[in-house]
Amino acid sequence: MKAALIKEFGADFCVEEVDSPQAGPGQALVRVQASCLCPGDLKIRAGRMPHLPLPHIPGHEVAGIVEETGPGVENFKSGDRVVVYMYQVCGRCPACRSGRENMCANLIRTGMEKPGGHAEFLVVEEDQLVGLPESIPFKEAAAIPDAVATSLHAVREMGQTRLNDYVLVYGIGGLGLHGVQLARLAGGRVIAVSRSRSKLDLAAQNGAEWALNGDDPDLVKQVMSLTKGRGVDLVIDYVVNQATLNNSLACLKKGGRVVNVGSSAAEISLPVGMAMFKEVDLTGSLGMDKKCLSDAIELTEAGYLSPLVTETYSLEDINKAAERLAAGAVLGRSAILF
């Protein structure tokens, strides 16, 4: 099969022929139809997981068709349309038993600790398969396992978005655009913040009531004016650096919430005085659980949500896709089509 390989950290992906994987007991072989390129793939390629054995196949946002199943697989069969839940979890640790499987102590991630979906075939555990309705094209479906489901976890579980909340979405890209849609769907009044005019325009088309330039020195004043002086109830930060944290706290109402989804800085100083006097709830949001993925698929099928894949490439052109993603030129998600 053809696959995009990381053979050397810091170098381009290599598209080569490799042996096709085989499904073992409790596993399924998936013929990949589409996989989305995530900034996380570029971080892995850059060496952010330095102990990862090379060569490695990345790719954790995958949609495809079950090619065959191994012994013991009961709920899926050859020909089924599926998306891949990126997490392989143990189901036994305290996190799994408490319903926080994204925090599994024995977590194995497709495309990270094990081979991913930037390849013609992929083997996963049966528990990682989620059925895909016929009405959702593979191209859009590939964005659901991470770009959509991660945002659903941030907006719903960690952000606790409520009707008429002012929600500031910081960073409008592959995840942030879906955060805008979901916050609006939850009844929030969404303020999108980005440095890109084209991304702000797309955010406005997808539910943002206001779209503000993140480089504007009067950003905080604008937000306070839009919220009639009260400040926002919730910030969902997909960037997370010193500037976005400072602005988030300044824009937040007393008792407000900040959910950090991304991280573009290795270390950030917390203005503890502001956090204390405003009694801020500052929390992280990591990935998603399987219910988020299932719910995201149902919302998409019902027409309430639109996965935004704005560029498509062949596997052979994955380095072109990576170049545009690294430059910040991709408005939504880029999909590799097979």
Side-chain angles (χ1 to χ4, degrees), residues 40-275:
D41 297 329
L42 303 191
K43 291 177 182 178
I44 296 170
R45 189 181 68 169
R48 292 279 290 272
M49 295 180 67
H51 302 297
L52 186 71
L54 299 182
H56 173 70
I57 304 172
H60 55 270
E61 297 181 279
V62 184
I65 300 170
V66 174
E67 182 79 2
E68 61 182 45
T69 58
V73 174
E74 299 178 352
N75 298 312
F76 293 90
K77 64 184 184 305
S78 176
D80 284 349
R81 303 173 90 248
V82 294
V83 294
V84 173
Y85 178 48
M86 65 182 286
Y87 294 151
Q88 179 183 330
V89 303
C90 71
R92 304 180 303 275
C93 70
C96 285
R97 292 199 304 270
S98 66
R100 302 187 70 181
E101 62 193 52
N102 59 316
M103 304 295 292
C104 174
N106 304 293
L107 191 68
I108 298 173
R109 298 168 292 179
T110 295
M112 298 180 196
E113 286 82 15
K114 67 178 186 177
H118 295 327
E120 292 179 309
F121 292 98
L122 170 68
V123 165
V124 295
E125 305 300 310
E126 180 184 11
D127 286 347
Q128 292 182 260
L129 298 178
V130 180
L132 177 66
E134 291 283 346
S135 62
I136 304 177
F138 288 112
K139 181 184 74 172
E140 284 77 17
I144 299 176
D146 184 6
V148 180
T150 292
S151 286
L152 180 54
H153 179 67
V155 169
R156 184 176 67 185
E157 273 73 27
M158 307 312 296
Q160 297 289 304
T161 306
R162 295 182 286 262
L163 191 68
N164 204 40
D165 274 354
Y166 285 104
V167 182
L168 191 154
V169 178
Y170 224 134
I172 304 301
L175 272 77
L177 284 166
H178 299 105
V180 167
Q181 289 188 55
L182 288 159
R184 180 61 178 267
L185 186 60
R189 303 186 67 184
V190 181
I191 303 169
V193 177
S194 173
R195 295 181 298 177
S196 165
R197 184 69 255 169
S198 56
K199 291 180 179 180
L200 289 173
D201 290 343
L202 193 54
Q205 295 168 27
N206 282 274
E209 195 168 344
W210 301 280
L212 305 181
N213 188 330
D215 283 334
D216 192 328
D218 292 325
L219 175 66
V220 175
K221 290 182 179 179
Q222 289 189 65
V223 171
M224 297 307 291
S225 176
L226 292 173
T227 60
K228 304 176 179 62
R230 93 184 202 196
V232 299
D233 300 271
L234 169 66
V235 177
I236 302 176
D237 190 350
Y238 292 96
V239 182
V240 191
N241 58 32
Q242 194 67 60
T244 64
L245 176 62
N246 291 347
N247 284 340
S248 295
L249 294 176
C251 290
L252 206 63
K253 75 172 190 179
K254 291 183 178 180
R257 312 178 298 283
V258 177
V259 175
N260 292 331
V261 185
S263 179
S264 60
E267 188 173 310
I268 299 174
S269 298
L270 175 66
V272 291
M274 188 183 300

Side-chain angles (χ1 to χ4, degrees), residues 9-29:
F9 292 128
D12 283 351
F13 297 110
C14 297
V15 179
E16 297 181 2
E17 288 283 344
V18 298
D19 292 337
S20 296
Q22 302 296 315
Q27 297 179 328
L29 178 68

